[in-house]
């Protein structure tokens, strides 16, 4: 079977996807900060994940996988050397120096590009014919970086698996806290679809050799024809992730969802209805009950809340994106408006503190 060269921008969350891809013997390049790149090139990376029937998490050492991984900064990459591009950075990072230029080179290459961001690239939103993507620009830190992408060459993979960098560990260690599946929508061109289907099959067949048996690992790649399937994450983000943000701090996702389950279901159901109004089938989406059950295990604040607490000047604004999409259908929800206003306020406080 053909071996692919795959480029992934973002070494933290990107190493989870890389670990799955490398079971198929493919070569992966991770784009990251120089100190991270040096560590990965010297030691590879580790991904720890819970496996059913195992008391302790299984640790995947990239050096033991059939594929090969290297890492470098954005300036040292020629995207035309690759077959598939993965986008695993936070949305604000794509406007930063070095990454911006690499993203423009990726757009010019016409190569299939698969995002695993919570924030769908603006070019992906242009694939939804019922939306006017130009009105969505205010939700993006640097909307102009997505203008040159061929919409047929970009797709979205829902980043449903949750993972963290464990405190006190080296930055080449990732711990999976919620081992769900990546759900990827089809490309508008067959070249990308063929690659993703191949990866899906190989990840399904992969087994990790433990001391006494071969283990089937969680976190699969699931290919879907509908462009709306990855947008199922929106309702989860609004009911949980962004409600981890409080006026003066943060709370866990479990608390955000279960401290007021009626409010959580209200905003969740509203976002589901927004997706239906722009063309999604209800079968594309995830019932609230299933999400609420999974949220019981989400014992950490979401990354957006942690970033704000650490003084971030920009975060992914999926909250504002959903609000703008809803407005195109004359839909609104008071809790969503409160979330957007709170995030605006917290960012304003951080920016004023930075400039003081």
């Amino acid at each position: 079977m053909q071996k692919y060269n795959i480029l992934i921008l973002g070494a933290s969350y990107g190493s989870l996807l890389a670990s799955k891809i490398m079971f198929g013997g493919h070569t992966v390049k991770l784009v990251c900060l120089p100190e991270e790149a040096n560590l990965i090139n010297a030691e590879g990376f580790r991904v720890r994940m819970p496996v059913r029937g195992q008391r302790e998490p299984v640790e995947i050492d990239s050096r033991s996988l059939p594929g090969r991984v290297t890492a470098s900064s954005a300036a040292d990459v020629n995207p035309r050397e690759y077959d598939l591009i993965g986008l695993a950075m936070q949305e604000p990072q794509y406007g930063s120096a070095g990454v911006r230029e690499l993203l423009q080179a990726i757009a010019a290459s016409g190569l299939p590009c698969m995002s695993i961001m919570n924030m769908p690239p603006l070019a992906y939103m242009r694939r939804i014919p019922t939306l006017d993507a130009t009105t969505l620009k205010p939700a993006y830190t640097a909307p102009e970086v997505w203008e040159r992408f061929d919409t047929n060459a970009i797709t979205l993979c829902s980043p449903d698996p949750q993972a963290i960098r464990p405190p006190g560990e080296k930055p080449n260690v990732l711990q999976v806290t919620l081992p769900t599946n990546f759900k990827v929508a089809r490309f508008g061109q067959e070249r990308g679809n063929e690659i993703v289907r191949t990866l899906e099959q190989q990840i399904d067949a992969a087994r990790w050799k433990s001391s006494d048996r071969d283990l089937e690992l969680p976190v699969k790649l699931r290919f879907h024809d509908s462009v709306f399937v990855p947008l199922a994450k929106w309702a989860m983000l609004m009911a949980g992730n962004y409600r981890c943000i409080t006026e003066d701090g943060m709370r866990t996702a479990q608390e955000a969802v279960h401290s007021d389950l009626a409010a959580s279901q209200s905003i969740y159901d509203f976002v589901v209805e927004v997706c239906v109004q722009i063309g999604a089938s209800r079968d594309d989406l995830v019932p609230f009950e299933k999400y609420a059950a999974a949220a019981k295990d989400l014992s950490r604040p979401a990354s957006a809340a942690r970033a704000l607490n650490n003084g971030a000047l920009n975060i992914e604004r999926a909250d504002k994106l959903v609000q703008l999409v809803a407005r195109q259908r004359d839909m609104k929800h008071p809790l969503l408006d409160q979330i957007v206003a709170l995030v605006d306020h917290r960012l304003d406080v951080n920016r004023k503190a930075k400039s003081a």
Side-chain angles (χ1 to χ4, degrees), residues 61-169:
D61 185 332
S62 64
R63 296 170 297 184
S64 302
L65 295 173
R68 177 173 176 265
V69 64
T70 58
S72 73
S73 64
D76 298 325
V77 172
N78 177 5
R80 295 185 183 275
E81 297 175 355
Y82 300 90
D83 301 296
L84 176 72
I85 314 293
L87 303 178
M89 292 179 173
Q90 296 280 312
E91 184 269 332
Q93 292 178 271
Y94 293 99
S96 61
V99 177
R100 174 190 289 265
E101 289 75 15
L102 175 56
L103 198 65
Q104 297 310 290
I106 291 170
S109 74
L111 289 166
C113 188
M114 181 176 74
S115 168
I116 56 170
M117 299 188 292
N118 278 328
M119 186 76 168
L122 188 55
Y124 185 79
M125 300 307 296
R126 296 204 305 267
R127 291 186 62 187
I128 301 175
T130 57
L131 288 179
D132 177 3
T134 60
T135 71
L136 307 179
K137 290 182 179 181
Y140 291 82
T141 308
E144 67 279 2
V145 302
W146 306 107
E147 290 177 357
R148 298 182 182 179
F149 276 86
D150 176 359
T151 56
N152 288 323
I154 193 163
T155 197
L156 181 64
C157 185
S158 180
D160 291 351
Q162 303 288 303
I164 61 169
R165 282 182 164 172
E169 297 276 8

